[in-house]
Amino acid sequence: MIASERGEVGLAAGIGLLRAGASALDAVEAAIRVVEADEDNHTVGVGGLPNLLGQVELDASIMDGATRQAGAVAAVTGFPHPISIARAVCERLPQHLLLVGAGAERFADEVGIERGPTLTDEARRRWRDGLSAAGIESAEARFGPGERAYRQQVIERLASMGVPDGPWDTVNVLALDAAGNLAAGVSTSGYPWKYPGRVSDSAIIGAGNYCDNAVGAAACTGRGELAIRGTTARSVLHALAADGDPAKALCLTPDGRHGGASTVPGATYSVMTAQDTTFRIEQRRQT
Ligand code: ASP
């Protein structure tokens, strides 16, 4: 299994399942659930930073390399584990692929996925500090995040701010099981102060996530709008098929080779195999 930065906390759980003969899909879901539960991770799950209005909206997707079946959800609130909702879409609504917002939440309730709090005190503090830095503290104090006047003021300020510096991040987990099947999963809270309803590449199959046993698994972190425009995960697999080099985005091949690439100097990813007792960190190629 391999994971993007801060995904290493989930690898032992996934590898434990693979050692017991579970599928790559099971391992990916289990690993990502650990990351989603990590309150110290402010870009995924319960600790994720909220949108413009102070609501944590989560996106996730999962893809099975054996069948190329996939499931995804976007802009989900009130559920700490969107990866499990995405898996349920894949397996229990196979004529669908992507559910968003209220529909995704309704489906999650119907299939019995647990609700839970997703805005931690620390995430709320960081959210408010970011608004203050943009000069909109007084608006929140005067109107509160639910008010129309507040929203208009915030939107005007944010539109003039450009894309925030971060934290930007997501978790990618890719797994190869004993049967030779690959799976890929991605989960994110998106970028902080995003416009409500914004959907990231993490929920878009082909952009932030793609998996095909014939070629490999690939997933992305970083500015989702760029990965959507470039259909990056799918494009990376086309390039992998052409040159066999997995050091692109985050990649795992059907014969267990792996690699990562990043525009960020010093970026890394983590690796753990069934023979390992813990993960190790690998450098990404800088592009
Ligand atoms: N890809 C995620 C998004 O666009 C964030 C990230 O990976 O930094 O929301």
Side-chain angles (χ1 to χ4, degrees):
M1 295 185 78
I2 64 174
S4 57
E5 284 93 336
R6 288 168 287 287
E8 61 276 4
V9 296
L11 288 182
I15 287 290
L17 287 176
L18 290 181
R19 278 198 198 107
S23 68
L25 276 179
D26 286 336
V28 163
E29 182 186 359
I32 289 182
R33 285 179 63 93
V34 174
V35 185
E36 290 173 335
D38 178 4
E39 291 195 9
D40 293 331
N41 186 327
H42 294 298
T43 58
V44 177
V46 292
L49 296 192
N51 67 14
L52 191 57
L53 301 180
Q55 303 151 340
V56 176
E57 290 182 321
L58 301 177
D59 298 352
S61 64
I62 194 162
M63 187 161 184
D64 177 3
T67 60
R68 282 177 288 152
Q69 288 266 46
V73 291
V76 168
T77 58
F79 289 86
H81 294 297
I83 194 66
S84 293
I85 314 175
R87 172 107 188 252
V89 171
C90 179
E91 293 182 343
R92 301 180 69 169
L93 275 185
Q95 69 279 48
H96 295 63
L97 194 153
L98 169 62
L99 297 181
V100 302
E105 293 155 18
R106 178 192 176 104
F107 169 71
D109 277 333
E110 284 169 357
V111 297
I113 291 171
E114 68 274 29
R115 286 181 171 269
T118 49
L119 181 59
T120 64
D121 291 344
E122 173 65 12
R124 185 172 165 77
R125 187 188 64 71
R126 288 182 184 221
W127 169 78
R128 194 188 286 121
D129 287 353
L131 291 182
S132 303
I136 39 191
E137 185 173 33
S138 60
E140 192 200 8
R142 284 217 315 273
F143 302 113
E147 299 296 327
R148 185 185 164 86
Y150 164 84
R151 281 190 263 170
Q152 282 176 346
Q153 189 171 348
V154 168
I155 288 165
E156 282 164 20
R157 295 286 180 98
L158 288 189
S160 66
M161 267 168 68
V163 177
D165 287 340
W168 284 81
D169 219 344
T170 289
V171 67
N172 304 153
V173 177
L174 312 179
L176 174 63
D177 65 24
N181 291 317
L182 289 162
V186 183
S187 183
T188 191
S189 52
Y191 75 80
W193 313 288
K194 66 187 174 185
Y195 196 88
R198 180 256 184 186
V199 175
S200 73
D201 61 314
S202 308
I204 306 295
I205 295 299
N209 181 348
Y210 203 79
C211 189
D212 180 347
N213 276 2
V215 185
C220 304
T221 62
R223 284 197 52 199
E225 283 71 13
L226 301 183
I228 293 171
R229 285 192 220 162
T231 55
T232 303
R234 183 86 167 98
S235 302
V236 155
L237 289 187
H238 280 307
L240 173 64
D243 69 11
D245 176 8
K248 301 175 167 71
L250 185 69
C251 271
L252 180 62
T253 67
D255 58 358
R257 292 178 302 120
H258 48 83
S262 177
T263 54
V264 179
T268 61
Y269 66 101
S270 53
V271 184
M272 186 168 172
T273 73
Q275 288 73 47
D276 296 332
T277 51
T278 187
F279 62 85
R280 66 177 192 279
I281 300 293
E282 297 272 343
Q283 296 298 314
R284 293 181 189 242
R285 178 187 297 164
Q286 196 183 337
T287 57

